[in-house]
Amino acid sequence: MASAGVASALAAIDATSNQQTKAQLYNELLPKIVSSSSSPTLSQDLIAFLESILSENVSIIASRPLLDAFINALRELPAPAKIEVGQHAIQALQSRSTSVEEQDSLIREILADAYEAQEEYLAAAKVLQGIHLDSSQRLISDGAKVRMWIRIVRLYLEEDDPTSAEGFLKKIKNLPSKIQDPELKLHFQLSQARIFDARRRFLDASQEYLNVSLATGVEEGDRLQALSAAICCAVLAPAGPQRSRMLSRLYKDDRSSSLQEYSILEKIFRDHLLSPEEVKAFGTKLAPHQLAQTADGSTVLDKAVIEHNLLAASRLYENINVVNLASILGLEASGDLTAGERAEAYAARMVEQGRLEGKIDQIAGVIYFNSGIDGVGPTDTEGKSLRIWDAGVQHLADDVEKVAAAIMDDFPEFAAAHEQAEPR
């Protein structure tokens, strides 16, 4: 309930019949209400003031400038008061929505700022959704629409709601004109990356984060943060050729060596086995959704590491028993499956998806890896080690012969003297 002084003043203004005099009295009263910002009745006083200027006793022509003054006063209030007064204001304006759309949108933005300051991101997003961006009453540019939609997207992402965020991101994609503002384009790319990340489309997320890290006009610290996110997503992506190409790009980026994630990036790029200690240390840097459990009970990180170590094992072994492979991968029995059966299931899925070359002998319980060596011959596993050895010796002999020939060409006197000095 409004204070007695404000209620009395509003009643006196309401009794005045002259619209010009009314407007003047309202403009004199509003600063007095706001000046008592410490008053416990401040919110109720402003609500009473708003109801009075929106009443039938005040003409629409007179109420609009008064409403504008009210909005300016609302901006100066503390967040809790903004929320209490702003909520009432947007409800009060619903009956006049067509004639005060501009004022309604301004109040909603102020209210969203207050919600955001209180970390009530979902409430802020819903308030902004109520703004009529396709209204025939006022012309809104595509740039202004994109800016509002990106803000809503970011609010939903803060609330870990990628589904709602993606719905507004699609509105931006469906605009006939492309985003021209570099800042908006950057926010769009970052929002797209965060949505891919939240939906566990880690390869796509890594690419988008990398694009952000390479964008111009971004502070160096933010660029390195985006690059760090790109590396984390690449590590979490399913093992395979596409991931290998992404890891190669990140590993060859000169900035990567300055990041904490570089050590695990290097090991994964070089197909080295990852130890549990390294994985645990890396896991402390990940977001909660990146550590979420999958259908089989393992986390996203666990699955990524198991698949990577399986791929690394295929570089070390021609064939391996599924029980020994399970030991290397750190797998244990789960439910009705033994550790060996779990290792076999991981390998079978990767072979089926084309992310690992090999074959499985289920009767013998052995997995045969088929990595292939360029210039060595067929990719079957029989005799592969011998062919690799032969090829290595041949390459070494060729290199030695080339070096000797180069020395003889560039230093003929030295070569002749060396030949004469050799014992017979």
Side-chain angles (χ1 to χ4, degrees):
M1 181 179 293
S3 63
V6 172
S8 175
L10 289 173
I13 296 172
D14 189 51
T16 305
S17 59
N18 186 286
Q19 292 293 321
Q20 187 174 357
T21 305
K22 271 189 175 183
Q24 183 179 351
L25 292 173
Y26 277 125
N27 284 324
E28 292 173 356
L29 177 62
L30 182 60
K32 294 179 182 178
I33 296 175
V34 177
S35 64
S36 59
S37 57
S38 59
S39 171
T41 61
L42 173 63
S43 297
Q44 294 302 318
D45 288 346
L46 285 172
I47 290 173
F49 179 89
L50 176 65
E51 289 177 343
S52 182
I53 65 175
L54 293 179
S55 67
E56 296 179 354
N57 296 328
V58 181
S59 67
I60 295 177
I61 296 175
S63 66
R64 281 183 179 173
L66 291 173
L67 188 56
D68 290 336
F70 171 83
I71 292 171
N72 290 331
L74 185 63
R75 286 194 174 95
E76 306 303 321
L77 300 181
K82 281 182 183 177
I83 292 174
E84 185 177 356
V85 177
Q87 285 176 332
H88 186 90
I90 59 176
Q91 291 176 358
L93 292 179
Q94 283 182 353
S95 59
R96 298 189 177 194
S97 58
T98 56
S99 60
V100 290
E101 281 188 357
E102 181 68 29
Q103 288 79 5
D104 178 72
S105 66
L106 290 174
I107 292 175
R108 286 179 179 275
E109 289 186 43
I110 294 170
L111 183 54
D113 291 338
Y115 277 130
E116 196 169 353
Q118 300 286 86
E119 297 186 357
E120 297 182 36
Y121 303 114
L122 184 60
K126 289 185 179 297
V127 165
L128 293 176
Q129 282 181 241
I131 296 177
H132 300 287
L133 296 177
D134 298 317
S135 171
S136 59
Q137 301 297 319
R138 58 193 185 117
L139 183 62
I140 302 175
S141 67
D142 286 348
K145 291 179 182 179
V146 170
R147 193 175 298 277
M148 180 59 66
W149 286 332
I150 283 181
R151 184 180 180 186
I152 294 173
V153 167
R154 295 174 69 184
L155 288 169
Y156 273 123
L157 288 174
E158 290 296 330
E159 198 66 26
D160 291 327
D161 186 356
T163 302
S164 299
E166 191 169 21
F168 283 91
L169 204 68
K170 286 180 179 178
K171 290 187 176 184
I172 301 174
K173 292 180 180 179
N174 293 334
L175 276 178
S177 60
K178 294 184 178 180
I179 304 174
Q180 302 297 331
D181 188 335
E183 182 183 356
L184 286 180
K185 188 174 182 180
L186 182 64
H187 283 306
F188 175 84
Q189 288 178 323
L190 184 58
S191 298
Q192 182 71 84
R194 292 180 64 185
I195 288 173
F196 283 148
D197 190 353
R199 288 192 170 281
R200 301 181 191 172
R201 293 173 57 181
F202 293 118
L203 269 180
D204 293 329
S206 182
Q207 181 62 63
E208 292 295 336
Y209 279 129
L210 180 59
N211 292 340
V212 172
S213 77
L214 296 172
T216 57
V218 182
E219 293 185 5
E220 187 62 23
D222 294 335
R223 294 174 68 181
L224 290 178
Q225 187 175 356
L227 181 61
S228 174
I231 293 174
C232 289
C233 287
V235 170
L236 295 172
Q242 290 182 324
R243 177 186 186 239
S244 298
R245 287 192 290 271
M246 192 67 219
L247 289 170
S248 177
R249 288 189 63 188
L250 294 169
Y251 179 73
K252 293 175 182 177
D253 193 312
D254 295 335
R255 302 169 298 166
S256 296
S257 58
S258 65
L259 300 175
Q260 292 181 347
E261 295 83 3
Y262 181 73
S263 59
I264 196 168
L265 170 65
E266 184 176 30
K267 279 204 165 187
I268 293 177
F269 174 72
R270 296 184 179 279
D271 288 332
H272 293 173
L273 290 170
L274 298 176
S275 67
E277 292 76 17
E278 291 171 319
V279 176
K280 184 177 180 181
F282 178 72
T284 60
K285 307 169 188 176
L286 300 181
H289 73 271
Q290 294 173 328
L291 295 170
Q293 287 191 339
T294 58
D296 60 0
S298 61
T299 66
V300 176
L301 176 59
D302 291 338
K303 186 176 180 180
V305 170
I306 290 170
E307 290 187 350
H308 164 74
N309 282 344
L310 181 50
L311 202 60
S314 73
R315 304 288 191 262
L316 298 173
Y317 298 93
E318 291 184 13
N319 58 73
I320 188 171
N321 185 280
V322 293
V323 176
N324 294 334
L325 178 61
S327 177
I328 292 174
L329 301 180
L331 294 175
E332 298 178 353
S334 176
D336 297 332
L337 297 178
T338 64
E341 289 171 338
R342 290 187 64 195
E344 181 184 314
Y346 272 103
R349 181 167 57 250
M350 292 180 68
V351 170
E352 181 183 6
Q353 295 173 351
R355 296 187 286 125
L356 176 68
E357 294 186 8
K359 58 184 180 180
I360 302 175
D361 186 340
Q362 290 184 305
I363 296 177
V366 176
I367 300 176
Y368 294 89
F369 298 117
N370 183 8
S371 58
I373 303 294
D374 292 339
V376 173
T379 59
D380 60 283
T381 57
E382 296 179 5
K384 184 174 72 175
S385 297
L386 183 59
R387 291 198 303 276
I388 295 173
W389 177 266
D390 288 344
V393 172
Q394 182 65 47
H395 290 158
L396 178 61
D398 291 343
D399 290 341
V400 171
E401 186 176 352
K402 289 177 182 177
V403 171
I407 293 175
M408 292 179 67
D409 291 341
D410 294 341
F411 306 98
E413 295 179 0
F414 171 79
H418 184 71
E419 287 182 357
Q420 292 176 359
E422 287 183 356
R424 301 259 177 202

